[in-house]
Amino acid sequence: MSQRQNDTQRQSREIGVIGSQEFTTGFRLAGVRRFENVPDDQKSEELDDAVETMLNDDDVGIVVMHDDDLSHLSRQVRQAAETSVEPVLVTLGGGAGSGGLRDQIKRAIGIDLMDEE
């Protein structure tokens, strides 16, 4: 595969969302096609598998989860998700500064969009 084809493939990756149906619905309405619904009462049993499935999907470039759901992951899956570069994990919610969104975006696209220089 040429470098140009490889770059085009990277640019065309999708966003994947993991969480409760309430969490994923807004993303689906916005056009996100990759999602894993995990009911709140089944997160301890099913969330690890949903995250592993999404991390292993070559078409997904960014995985979005609620910050609170990280506590339901096993240590091994959580570490894999938090250190993954492709796809990158972005967490939402959980209070100010939670998830280091700036660092996550920088890791995902390779530049700091919030850099003022």
Side-chain angles (χ1 to χ4, degrees):
M1 181 180 297
S2 72
Q3 181 64 35
R4 175 172 269 174
Q5 288 172 322
N6 194 22
D7 289 344
T8 301
Q9 182 182 11
R10 280 187 179 184
Q11 292 172 359
S12 65
R13 292 208 173 159
E14 296 185 51
I15 295 172
V17 182
I18 303 170
S20 66
Q21 186 169 358
E22 293 81 14
F23 183 75
T24 64
T25 296
F27 292 95
R28 288 184 290 150
L29 291 172
V32 172
R33 296 179 296 185
R34 305 277 180 158
F35 60 92
E36 292 281 337
N37 283 332
V38 181
D40 287 334
D41 61 346
Q42 296 176 9
K43 286 186 179 175
S44 295
E45 297 85 26
E46 297 182 14
L47 200 59
D48 276 1
D49 289 340
V51 170
E52 287 177 330
T53 297
M54 198 69 71
L55 291 178
N56 291 320
D57 188 333
D58 291 336
D59 293 329
V60 174
I62 298 173
V63 176
V64 180
M65 290 180 61
H66 194 282
D67 189 63
D68 292 342
D69 288 346
L70 292 177
S71 65
H72 294 280
L73 295 175
S74 67
R75 182 188 317 169
Q76 189 174 12
V77 173
R78 181 177 178 158
Q79 183 176 11
E82 289 179 335
T83 59
S84 177
V85 175
E86 286 186 20
V88 65
L89 174 68
V90 175
T91 58
L92 302 176
S98 179
L101 183 57
R102 180 179 183 169
D103 290 335
Q104 293 173 11
I105 293 170
K106 184 177 176 182
R107 188 172 43 153
I109 64 174
I111 60 171
D112 187 351
L113 293 176
M114 298 176 200
D115 189 11
E116 295 181 15
E117 292 184 17

